[in-house]
Amino acid sequence: MNKHNKTEEIFSENLDRILAGEEAKTGTVSDVDMLSALDFAVKMADIQPAISTQFQRRLKAGLLKKLEDREIAAVEKNRWWAGLFQQPAFKAVAAVFLVILVVSLIWRAGVFDLSPGVPQPTTTPLPTATEAATTTTTTTTTYYAVGSLLGYNVRTDKAFYQAGEKVVISLTLKNTANNVLKMEKLPPIISVMNAETHKPVYTFSGGKETHTLAFGETVQFAYTWDQTDFNGRAVSGGYYLELEDIEYQGQTLKIQQPQPVRFEIKPETTY
Amino acid sequence: MIFFILLSAAIEKVSKLTAEAFSGFYEEYMPKVFKYICYRISNKHLAEDLTAAVFEKALVKFDTYNAKKAAITTWVFAIARNTLIDHYRAADHEKTTELDEALDLPQESKTPEQAVIDEEQWTMLQKCMLKLAPNEREIISLKFSSQMTNRQIAGMLGLSDSNVGVILYRAIRRLRDDFQGWQYE
């Protein structure tokens, strides 16, 4: 067995040499059968078929073309993704999404909130002025412009009222001018407007009070509405407040009301 | 977006490297694969078609070839062997019987007389190969076309190194005897 293994091993080594284009090392080989087989292996190596060069070139060209097409397809696919980001439609969608996101964040921050609650309702239907003048301004109160001299803030104590509840309206005027203001005929006129018809259902008459305000100083007024219209009839539904322009030394200070204060009165339940 | 631009550039660069690598691979292994198939298929056009099929498969798998798993010779001849097996299954025969169209041998570097002699000898060799056992025919084909070592052939066929050596020695001696007998007929 070992002798046979040795024989095959010598034969295989020489066969590898023959196929590599080298000469077999048969100097020490005495096995005639093996030598004859190695000679035949040389012959077999010589008559191996070669390839048609035309077929070889044609096949290579075809394969490289397929490779090129495949790579182009891969590049185009990735360019498509890159190109998508440049499409106007994609940019428009992305811009809309960003705007919605920003507006949502601002809305949640409460920038547009204009009607926080106000305390202390009064019992008289006429406006009363309280000189709760504060020398310092509250940092949480938003003041809207009254011309270029004043700022105002108006609010109701609630957003929703039951039938018969008193609606308390609080108005704060603030001197935003660089000089002392002597304001007359205060408090100013405020109307309760029907949200659907945009017509006044009730109007608080202007007062005859005079207030002198230093720069940054405020004055507050309270109005109480008993939910009745000009004819004394109880009303319900949605309403908003409208402040009349304020007169100062012959000039009219325009009220800027970006978003009116709204509230709602629920109808009286009848069974 | 910058990421995709960079990715496209990288793919373009890789594609050039892949074309060069595949071209080199083709130049080296195409003659060997063709010879292997010619040992098993005597029909010229069929041998060319099967050779083309082998390299199309190799092209598809070229990017995923892992040198740690197998030598490239073993890899491509495994594809060639499987392609032949698929062909035999489809054709429902296990030996080369199409001898009606002998394989043309190139005439470029040989005289016409030598080319005729080679063609006759090749045909005789093909007929002698048919008398071998399937495993002998497979090992002879792999050895004389791919020049793989006995160890590589053993790994591909699931045999031992010594077993491949024994089969080779026995098969070549049988071919020699049959060939010489054919010559003297």
Side-chain angles (χ1 to χ4, degrees):
Chain A
M1 184 70 73
N2 289 336
K3 181 183 176 183
H4 283 297
N5 288 343
K6 189 67 177 174
T7 301
E8 279 94 26
E9 188 179 323
I10 294 171
F11 179 81
S12 293
E13 288 173 359
N14 282 295
L15 180 58
D16 287 339
R17 292 193 185 97
I18 291 168
L19 294 175
E22 301 170 4
E23 286 192 2
K25 290 184 179 178
T26 56
T28 56
V29 176
S30 58
D31 188 334
V32 176
D33 191 33
M34 184 194 298
L35 291 172
S36 172
L38 287 171
D39 286 340
F40 182 72
V42 173
K43 192 179 184 70
M44 279 184 65
D46 285 341
I47 62 174
Q48 287 189 45
I51 313 145
S52 163
T53 54
Q54 185 182 15
F55 163 70
Q56 195 170 6
R57 280 196 223 110
R58 189 172 65 245
L59 177 59
K60 181 180 178 181
L63 290 168
L64 290 179
K65 181 66 170 62
K66 285 185 180 180
L67 180 62
E68 184 183 347
D69 291 344
R70 190 177 72 182
E71 298 300 337
I72 288 173
V75 170
E76 286 300 321
K77 183 180 177 183
N78 285 294
R79 280 183 183 162
W80 180 84
W81 280 104
L84 176 65
F85 291 108
Q86 297 176 350
Q87 293 293 324
F90 182 86
K91 287 181 179 178
V93 170
V96 168
F97 177 77
L98 283 174
V99 166
I100 292 172
L101 183 63
V102 169
V103 168
S104 299
L105 290 173
I106 293 174
W107 187 274
R108 286 178 65 92
V111 172
F112 300 119
D113 188 5
L114 296 178
S115 60
V118 174
Q120 299 182 12
T122 61
T123 58
T124 62
L126 295 174
T128 58
T130 56
E131 279 194 1
T134 55
T135 55
T136 59
T137 60
T138 59
T139 56
T140 58
T141 304
T142 302
Y143 291 92
Y144 298 98
V146 183
S148 59
L149 303 178
L150 291 172
Y152 84 96
N153 178 276
V154 64
R155 61 185 70 177
T156 56
D157 60 333
K158 290 182 183 180
F160 296 95
Y161 295 89
Q162 299 296 329
E165 267 190 294
K166 303 291 184 187
V167 178
V168 178
I169 302 165
S170 176
L171 172 67
T172 304
L173 292 177
K174 179 182 177 182
N175 181 353
T176 57
N178 288 327
N179 49 292
V180 175
L181 297 177
K182 185 178 179 182
M183 306 299 298
E184 296 177 345
K185 298 181 182 178
L186 293 179
I189 297 168
I190 286 185
S191 296
V192 179
M193 308 295 287
N194 186 301
E196 287 186 16
T197 64
H198 301 288
K199 291 183 177 178
V201 296
Y202 190 84
T203 298
F204 290 94
S205 302
K208 296 177 182 179
E209 298 172 13
T210 300
H211 296 272
T212 303
L213 300 174
F215 171 67
E217 201 171 2
T218 61
V219 60
Q220 289 182 344
F221 303 97
Y223 307 73
T224 303
W225 183 43
D226 62 356
Q227 297 185 11
T228 59
D229 61 11
F230 293 115
N231 298 316
R233 289 177 298 191
V235 295
S236 64
Y239 299 94
Y240 61 91
L241 301 177
E242 190 170 89
L243 194 66
E244 289 287 320
D245 295 336
I246 295 174
E247 296 290 330
Y248 175 73
Q249 294 183 355
Q251 64 173 309
T252 302
L253 303 179
K254 291 287 185 181
I255 296 291
Q256 295 183 19
Q257 206 163 7
Q259 193 164 351
V261 175
R262 294 179 179 270
F263 60 94
E264 190 172 326
I265 298 172
K266 294 180 182 178
E268 188 174 8
T269 306
T270 57
Y271 298 97
Chain B
M1 184 160 55
I2 294 175
F3 166 76
F4 284 110
I5 292 171
L6 292 174
L7 181 62
S8 297
I11 288 173
E12 286 186 36
K13 185 177 180 182
V14 168
S15 70
K16 290 179 183 174
L17 295 174
T18 304
E20 287 177 9
F22 187 82
S23 185
F25 160 78
Y26 175 86
E27 294 292 340
E28 181 174 354
Y29 286 97
M30 192 274 180
K32 297 177 181 179
V33 169
F34 184 74
K35 289 176 188 176
Y36 167 71
I37 292 176
C38 287
Y39 270 115
R40 309 297 300 276
I41 302 287
S42 60
N43 182 289
K44 173 193 173 185
H45 297 298
L46 184 56
E48 289 179 349
D49 290 345
L50 290 172
T51 302
V54 169
F55 280 90
E56 285 175 1
K57 291 179 186 178
L59 178 65
V60 171
K61 300 178 183 179
F62 195 66
D63 288 341
T64 61
Y65 164 69
N66 187 348
K68 293 180 182 178
K69 288 186 178 178
I72 196 162
T73 304
T74 309
W75 176 74
V76 69
F77 274 90
I79 295 174
R81 186 163 178 266
N82 290 333
T83 302
L84 267 178
I85 291 172
D86 292 341
H87 163 72
Y88 287 137
R89 284 177 183 160
D92 196 31
H93 52 77
E94 294 183 358
K95 55 185 180 181
T96 57
T97 56
E98 307 92 348
L99 296 176
D100 52 342
E101 187 178 346
L103 193 69
D104 292 342
L105 295 175
Q107 311 295 320
E108 293 91 349
S109 58
K110 297 186 179 180
T111 62
E113 295 78 13
Q114 188 61 46
V116 170
I117 294 170
D118 287 346
E119 187 175 339
E120 285 180 354
Q121 289 186 329
W122 173 256
T123 304
M124 282 193 291
L125 183 60
Q126 288 287 83
K127 290 180 178 178
C128 295
M129 287 278 284
L130 289 175
K131 296 181 180 179
L132 296 177
N135 65 332
E136 291 175 337
R137 200 160 52 239
E138 179 71 17
I139 291 173
I140 290 283
S141 302
L142 285 170
K143 191 69 180 180
F144 279 83
S145 59
S146 70
Q147 297 168 19
M148 283 194 287
T149 63
N150 288 3
R151 176 164 293 181
Q152 287 175 314
I153 294 173
M156 183 181 291
L157 302 181
L159 302 171
S160 65
D161 299 4
S162 59
N163 201 357
V164 170
V166 168
I167 293 172
L168 261 177
Y169 187 44
R170 182 177 65 212
I172 289 174
R173 284 151 69 208
R174 280 185 60 186
L175 279 173
R176 175 202 60 194
D177 295 340
D178 289 339
F179 193 84
Q180 288 174 349
W182 192 277
Q183 275 187 308
Y184 294 122
E185 282 182 359

